[in-house]
Amino acid sequence: MRGGGLLVAGTTSDAGKSVVTAGICRWLVRQGVRVAPFKAQNMSLNSFVTREGAEIGRAQAMQAQACRIEPTALMNPVLLKPGGEQSSQVVLLGKPVGELSARGYHGGRQQQLLGTVLDCLAELRGTYDAVICEGAGSPAEINLRRTDIVNMGIARNAELPVLVVGDIDRGGVFASFFGTVALLSPEDQALVAGFLVNKFRGDVSLLEPGLDMLHGLTGRHTYGVLPFRHGLGIDEEDGMGVRNSRASAPVGEDVLRVAVCAVPLMSNFTDVDALAAEPGVVVRFVDRPEELADADLVVVPGTRGTVRALDWLHERGLAHDLVRRAAEGRPVLGICGGFQILGEHIEDEIESRQGHVDGLGILPVRVRFAREKTLTRPVGEALGERVEGYEIHHGVASVTSGEPFLDGCRVGQTWGTHWHGSLESDGFRRAFLREVAAAAGRRFVPAPDTSFAGLREEQLDRLGDLIEQHADTDALWRLIESGAPQGLPFIPPGAPA
């Protein structure tokens, strides 16, 4: 028996598809529904490693958490990881299969993946009561419709009803809703069941006349108006920012300032969300040397372009300051690509193809890029605490000296590791911050009760609450269970021939 399904599309990128999908998933699982997330094709530098060693988008991993299930490669069969302005690494069913230009991908390769995508969705629908799918960008991208496998392409082939989300905080939401439908073919329009307004501020009664007029114009209902809420979000595909920050006062006398170098092609910048979750820790992204001056800790994060990021640090004048900072015994943490940058030299014939490149020489590490990508979920110990993480990298590091630190090393107050997510381990994070505070001369004390996993759960519950309290959940369930209503009117002009 095939489970129910729904595609959450958006009028634009960042309209709120990811959080609405997670919210619907959490609402459903609280009703006793066995539910799974799905995104056919994701373009993101924020990725995650499943227990079977597959790489998927972090948004789908968090949506799986909203469903209270383990993430798998089925939930995000195609992941595109940009490596420059014109090309991306293609990750299929969790494993990299090559690099393609945007023209090459949309010119034929994308359509070839449709069968794989549909097989993954069918397997999920055969296992779960409902599968909540997330679209990408807008379903009305008429230049890409012919090869689309993530929006109306997947909706048509899998007979999924479509809910279009619009961010009213940006303005123009009525025009966006109407225009999205009006640019679709009659066959696509027949699956667009209605709309969901996201990030509304103010008195909803003032919005209702517009929703009534929208229904009169399109014949489609609005399934809910979600109010604007600060601090809500999950690990998104793009949009650099710090989530899970807490405005509560520090436990000790001082705050701790963390500066994250905003390197090009930054990947898994969500690593620092766990730092921002600590009361009294202030995290900011920086791109100028003067912004490092008052930082108690500088983080060099992961990147899809290690050599390019290294060049950028030199060009911006940040490389010199990092070397000086390390020599002065001021804390620096390198994660994945950032760890490689802090090493002595890099041999790269894979990512940048630049061969031998000198690193910053802060850590006794030599890096060689391998063709095969490392995708693991390691568990270890550091600073007397248990640590869990995940690795996603082509660079193989040889550590020649220094004090062991996870898979990397520590010299003085400079640490380096390939492990993403290590700071989500509460005991380790607190121990690390105590070391940083002591080295920085700050009277900062980590809160003894901050649970990063607990904060994640709280955030997902808040998303579920939004759906439960502000969406027409009865109508939403009918949509998931029975599909789009019959007889929805066609809105001209429709898609160009």
Side-chain angles (χ1 to χ4, degrees), residues 352-389:
S352 69
R353 297 182 175 87
Q354 291 193 27
H356 180 93
V357 178
D358 289 331
L360 296 185
I362 300 173
L363 291 177
V365 176
R366 297 172 182 176
V367 177
R368 176 185 56 83
F369 273 68
R371 193 166 299 279
E372 186 173 345
K373 183 184 283 191
T374 297
L375 297 167
T376 63
R377 290 273 292 272
V379 178
E381 185 176 302
L383 304 179
E385 300 285 347
R386 186 175 187 275
V387 189
E388 296 184 27

Side-chain angles (χ1 to χ4, degrees), residues 33-113:
V33 177
R34 295 178 306 122
V35 59
F38 179 79
K39 184 160 187 173
Q41 171 198 297
N42 200 339
M43 177 173 280
S44 178
L45 288 171
N46 280 339
S47 58
F48 183 75
V49 179
T50 67
R51 293 207 180 278
E52 71 267 30
E55 185 180 8
I56 65 172
R58 274 196 68 97
Q60 280 60 65
M62 291 303 100
Q63 288 162 357
Q65 185 177 342
C67 298
R68 298 181 178 145
I69 58 176
E70 275 291 323
T72 72
L74 293 174
M75 298 170 187
N76 180 206
V78 181
L79 173 65
L80 306 178
K81 302 193 73 176
E85 296 299 322
Q86 299 293 331
S87 68
S88 293
Q89 183 181 66
V90 180
V91 179
L92 179 62
L93 293 174
K95 303 297 181 184
V97 294
E99 297 272 339
L100 274 180
S101 68
R103 181 179 293 275
Y105 183 69
H106 290 287
R109 177 59 169 156
Q110 183 182 33
Q111 189 66 22
Q112 295 170 9
L113 299 174

Side-chain angles (χ1 to χ4, degrees), residues 413-449:
Q413 296 302 322
T414 300
W415 295 264
T417 177
H418 277 126
W419 289 23
H420 294 289
S422 62
L423 294 166
E424 296 180 18
S425 298
D426 298 329
F428 167 70
R429 182 180 64 253
R430 287 192 275 269
F432 176 70
L433 289 175
R434 282 193 290 269
E435 292 242 0
V436 169
R442 295 288 186 188
R443 290 172 293 183
F444 168 85
V445 179
D449 58 350

Side-chain angles (χ1 to χ4, degrees), residues 205-243:
S205 66
L206 299 176
L207 187 66
E208 288 171 350
L211 300 178
D212 291 340
M213 286 185 273
L214 182 66
H215 177 253
L217 288 166
T218 67
R220 289 159 174 85
H221 291 285
T222 296
Y223 283 72
V225 178
L226 307 186
F228 184 93
R229 292 287 187 266
H230 287 285
L232 279 184
I234 62 172
D235 295 348
E236 297 167 6
E237 301 164 8
D238 43 31
M240 183 176 66
V242 178
R243 284 157 287 279

